[in-house]
Amino acid sequence: MNKNFIILGGGQAAVYAAREIRKNDKESNIKILSEENFLPYERPPLSKDFLLNKKNQEDLFFHSSDVLKNENIDFENISINKVDFENKKLFTKNDDFYSYDSLLISTGSENKKLSLDNNLNDDIYYLRNLEEAKTIKEKVSNKNKITIIGGGFIGLEIASSLSQLQKKVTVIEIGSQLMGRIIPKQIADLVQKTHIQYGNEIILNKQINKIIKKNGIYEILLNDNSLIETDFLIAGIGSAPSVKLFEHTNLKLDNGIVTNEFCETSIKDVYAAGDVSNFYHPLYERTIRLESYQHAQNHGICAGKNIAGVKTEYTSIPWMWSDQFNLNLQLTGICDDYDEIIERGNDINNGVIYFFLKNKNIRGACGLGIAGKVGRDIRITSKLTEKNIIVDKQILADQNQKLNKLIQK
Amino acid sequence: MSEENWIEVGSTDSIEEEDLIRFDHQDKTFCVYRLTDGFYATDGICTHEAVHLEDGLVMDDEIECPMHQGIFNIKSGEALSPPACEDLKTYPVKVDNDKIFIKID
Ligand SMILES: Cc1cc2nc3c(=O)[nH]c(=O)nc-3n(C[C@H](O)[C@H](O)[C@H](O)COP(=O)(O)OP(=O)(O)OC[C@H]3O[C@@H](n4cnc5c(N)ncnc54)[C@H](O)[C@@H]3O)c2cc1C
Ligand code: FES
């Protein structure tokens, strides 16, 4: 009998899962339910080339509607309001329902919101989806001074793009360095230096006490009593997995939906993939939640295989990038659990990489360089990590020694 | 086709096995690869976001872009993994007296 496979959330993990199910199962019904009225699209350009007008909306879609039609994958623009895991049903706000045999949850993540005590919540803009990117692009077109609250990846990418659009950008970060503690301080400082060189103002260690709106202009009062005037406010203060729908169900949640190495959740026939899942990684022997392009794709594919009955363990080594100005930052593996750090290079023109080792094994690495300069070594690091290859530390530390040889048979 | 289209890149021992070199000619950049079964050539710039593939990783028959891990088949130029979706142009290669030539149209 044909099964009903439903994928809740229509982003990157969803579409890769759907196509992978179809690859392995030609008969069953596959339906993607998405609250966004767009076919699945790439989010990384939203803060970069889309804001910079180098990419249009049409450039962002993973696949055309023809590809999905040809593979007999339904895509429906609908928001799900309630889930009944016991009876395997998903409900819309009108109480229409969809029944499933297997369900994949790939609802992604959502931006944390600033809570201000006055009525300015509608004056603060966030970036997560295409609609929001379009709004920001349109609104900033006649603004000059832009303030970005939060110095994380997305905030800094927006800061880089708006600076390239000749805006006067200020970034306010509550922490003592950019991009959070997961990034080596030296790399955060190099990124900060680049922003400053391009004219952006970076304010660290400061909290916002109050924002006052006067004649369409905002005054931001910081906790050291300094004042910043700005024409437009964007916040990027972190994100959280989109799990509200499941909070009062018996689905196990802990920093997202807890899944095992087969993308299975605590409920039979319910799977989760992408940003929303906190998945068990057999190599690191712990759970990890990632917000990364490569992970959303690979995890979606792995979930698709398992849903279609091809039991497959997820062992992909985490990897993500951020592009700001002419810099490319990359992270692989995990960089928060180590007993030794090794530095390779000290100049962004040739790339700088920090390797994180534990018991002599590489666990992860973080690199920064002019576009293209750290990718190969970071990729090789992923492979060395995956294979648990112990490497001579002197080779890692010496940029004159190519790392290629270490992974060649 | 005329002989002039074959451009000398360098000697065969200038490229290690499973590796590549960048080759600039007039205003264009190419990558020339040495795989286990011979030499190949493609455009030198990724079709995704204009980064030099010379810094990429060669694995088997594939070149992986150093910027966002887009993957191309070196022999056919086919884009194999997102975010790369547009194929990479390939060029014929010949070896004559230990010298590598590529044919640029
Ligand atoms: C601005 C921005 C820039 C980024 N840049 C990079 C980068 O440079 N490099 C990198 O590696 N990663 C980057 N990322 C991260 C990457 O894009 C995400 O990790 C990836 O999109 C996650 O895919 P996903 O399928 O898990 O979730 P998403 O792509 O977020 O898709 C989830 C979908 O589910 C929908 N949904 C949620 N709840 C419901 C519901 N109840 N009913 C119906 N639909 C629902 C959502 O609206 C959304 O469309 C970026 C992300 C953003 C937002
Ligand atoms: S620039 Fe090559 S994959 Fe993006």
Side-chain angles (χ1 to χ4, degrees):
Chain A
M1 200 188 70
N2 282 357
K3 285 189 169 166
N4 281 326
F5 294 133
I6 293 204
I7 300 176
L8 174 57
Q12 182 167 11
V15 76
Y16 279 95
R19 297 196 65 195
E20 192 63 29
I21 298 175
R22 182 56 81 224
K23 226 189 240 175
N24 294 285
D25 178 340
K26 304 285 178 228
E27 305 300 327
S28 291
N29 305 313
I30 306 173
K31 195 189 271 296
I32 300 175
L33 304 177
S34 171
E35 68 185 4
E36 283 192 78
N37 195 13
F38 297 109
L39 287 175
Y41 59 89
E42 297 186 315
R43 286 174 210 271
L46 296 181
S47 48
K48 315 176 189 84
D49 280 2
F50 184 76
L51 279 188
L52 283 168
N53 298 311
K54 288 189 190 164
K55 275 194 177 140
N56 301 317
Q57 178 171 321
E58 306 76 62
D59 302 323
L60 306 184
F61 300 112
F62 287 107
H63 309 289
S64 66
S65 55
D66 286 350
V67 170
L68 299 185
K69 227 176 266 162
N70 287 342
E71 296 183 9
N72 203 5
I73 295 167
D74 281 345
F75 182 89
E76 223 176 293
N77 172 215
I78 190 93
S79 181
I80 291 301
N81 276 37
K82 204 177 84 192
V83 182
D84 175 355
F85 288 120
E86 205 161 319
N87 296 301
K88 294 189 155 185
K89 283 188 171 76
L90 307 176
F91 292 88
T92 69
K93 68 171 189 296
N94 304 328
D95 266 349
D96 294 333
F97 69 85
Y98 298 84
S99 296
Y100 63 82
D101 293 299
S102 291
L103 171 69
L104 171 65
I105 302 170
S106 53
T107 45
S109 45
E110 52 204 39
N111 290 323
K112 289 187 181 154
K113 297 281 159 84
L114 266 181
S115 58
L116 294 169
D117 48 10
N118 46 14
N119 288 330
L120 286 181
N121 289 332
D122 290 345
D123 293 51
I124 299 182
Y125 290 81
Y126 296 85
L127 178 55
R128 169 70 39 190
N129 58 43
L130 187 49
E131 273 314 334
E132 290 168 340
K134 285 191 204 173
T135 306
I136 289 179
K137 195 149 96 166
E138 190 213 309
K139 297 263 181 194
V140 296
S141 64
N142 60 356
K143 303 278 192 292
N144 177 33
K145 287 192 224 158
I146 319 274
T147 295
I148 294 168
I149 304 165
F153 289 121
I154 294 181
L156 291 172
E157 289 177 356
I158 299 171
S160 151
S161 300
L162 295 183
S163 160
Q164 293 173 67
L165 294 173
Q166 318 309 325
K167 307 290 177 193
K168 178 89 197 65
V169 181
T170 303
V171 177
I172 304 171
E173 164 59 42
I174 193 170
S176 60
Q177 69 163 73
L178 296 174
M179 298 174 291
R181 287 205 314 256
I182 197 96
I183 300 295
K185 172 93 168 62
Q186 296 89 330
I187 287 193
D189 289 348
L190 289 168
V191 169
Q192 180 172 342
K193 202 167 132 196
T194 302
H195 275 264
I196 292 169
Q197 272 166 1
Y198 281 93
N200 286 353
E201 185 182 6
I202 306 277
I203 301 174
L204 297 176
N205 289 312
K206 295 279 162 12
Q207 224 170 323
I208 296 175
N209 272 358
K210 208 196 246 169
I211 302 178
I212 302 156
K213 189 174 183 179
K214 269 190 199 157
N215 306 325
I217 305 247
Y218 304 91
E219 285 180 358
I220 307 171
L221 186 68
L222 299 180
N223 56 346
D224 64 348
N225 284 327
S226 56
L227 198 74
I228 297 161
E229 268 198 3
T230 196
D231 302 329
F232 194 74
L233 293 156
I234 301 173
I237 56 165
S239 51
S242 301
V243 292
K244 269 189 214 87
L245 210 51
F246 319 111
E247 269 164 5
H248 302 290
T249 69
N250 52 0
L251 184 66
K252 187 169 176 206
L253 303 177
D254 174 19
N255 181 29
I257 301 172
V258 179
T259 57
N260 64 11
E261 60 272 48
F262 304 107
C263 309
E264 294 163 337
T265 69
S266 60
I267 296 178
K268 192 174 174 303
D269 299 326
V270 180
Y271 299 75
D275 281 11
V276 76
S277 102
N278 188 10
F279 63 97
Y280 179 78
H281 199 297
L283 180 89
Y284 295 105
E285 295 179 329
R286 61 176 246 199
T287 58
I288 306 176
R289 192 176 82 81
L290 296 172
E291 293 181 14
S292 126
Y293 181 98
Q294 172 247 25
H295 168 66
Q297 175 179 324
N298 293 345
H299 209 209
I301 291 173
C302 183
K305 285 198 166 79
N306 284 302
I307 291 168
V310 184
K311 193 101 177 163
T312 308
E313 206 180 36
Y314 188 68
T315 55
S316 199
I317 300 295
W319 177 74
M320 62 86 63
W321 82 86
S322 172
D323 296 332
Q324 298 167 40
F325 296 105
N326 56 348
L327 296 178
N328 172 244
L329 181 152
Q330 298 195 11
L331 265 175
T332 182
I334 55 171
C335 305
D336 62 352
D337 181 23
Y338 55 87
D339 51 31
E340 192 173 359
I341 301 181
I342 295 173
E343 181 189 59
R344 179 178 175 89
N346 52 22
D347 169 10
I348 49 172
N349 291 304
N350 300 317
V352 182
I353 296 181
Y354 289 86
F355 297 97
F356 298 89
L357 279 67
K358 191 171 182 183
N359 302 328
K360 301 200 170 66
N361 279 308
I362 303 176
R363 304 281 281 180
C366 177
L368 177 77
I370 299 298
K373 289 301 169 194
V374 295
R376 177 166 47 204
D377 287 348
I378 290 284
R379 181 69 173 113
I380 292 168
T381 307
S382 307
K383 291 199 160 283
L384 293 169
T385 310
E386 191 174 12
K387 294 180 181 154
N388 258 324
I389 298 175
I390 293 185
V391 179
D392 183 345
K393 285 184 252 175
Q394 259 146 21
I395 299 181
L396 290 181
D398 180 1
Q399 225 165 17
N400 294 320
Q401 301 204 48
K402 277 190 164 190
L403 301 184
N404 300 32
K405 297 279 170 293
L406 300 173
I407 53 164
Q408 279 168 6
K409 296 142 249 172
Chain B
M1 265 179 240
S2 70
E3 276 294 305
E4 288 86 66
N5 285 340
W6 288 101
I7 314 285
E8 188 183 327
V9 173
S11 68
T12 48
D13 57 14
S14 63
I15 319 180
E16 292 174 39
E17 196 162 295
E18 283 229 1
D19 210 348
L20 82 169
I21 56 164
R22 167 175 165 180
F23 172 64
D24 290 345
H25 179 70
Q26 290 166 352
D27 56 353
K28 282 209 70 179
T29 294
F30 304 88
C31 281
V32 184
Y33 309 80
R34 181 178 192 157
L35 304 183
T36 42
D37 63 352
F39 294 86
Y40 297 87
T42 68
D43 267 342
I45 307 272
C46 182
T47 57
H48 179 234
E49 277 178 21
V51 80
H52 282 282
L53 289 171
E54 70 169 318
D55 295 315
L57 181 65
V58 178
M59 272 180 304
D60 302 322
D61 289 353
E62 294 167 5
I63 170 76
E64 199 173 283
C65 175
M67 189 88 160
H68 312 122
Q69 296 189 357
I71 301 177
F72 302 91
N73 181 297
I74 291 167
K75 296 179 178 175
S76 67
E78 189 188 351
L80 300 173
S81 179
C85 52
E86 201 181 309
D87 293 349
L88 196 61
K89 197 164 170 5
T90 58
Y91 300 88
V93 181
K94 71 173 184 187
V95 174
D96 200 355
N97 268 329
D98 293 333
K99 293 215 166 359
I100 310 166
F101 296 83
I102 66 173
K103 191 176 189 167
I104 301 169
D105 40 32

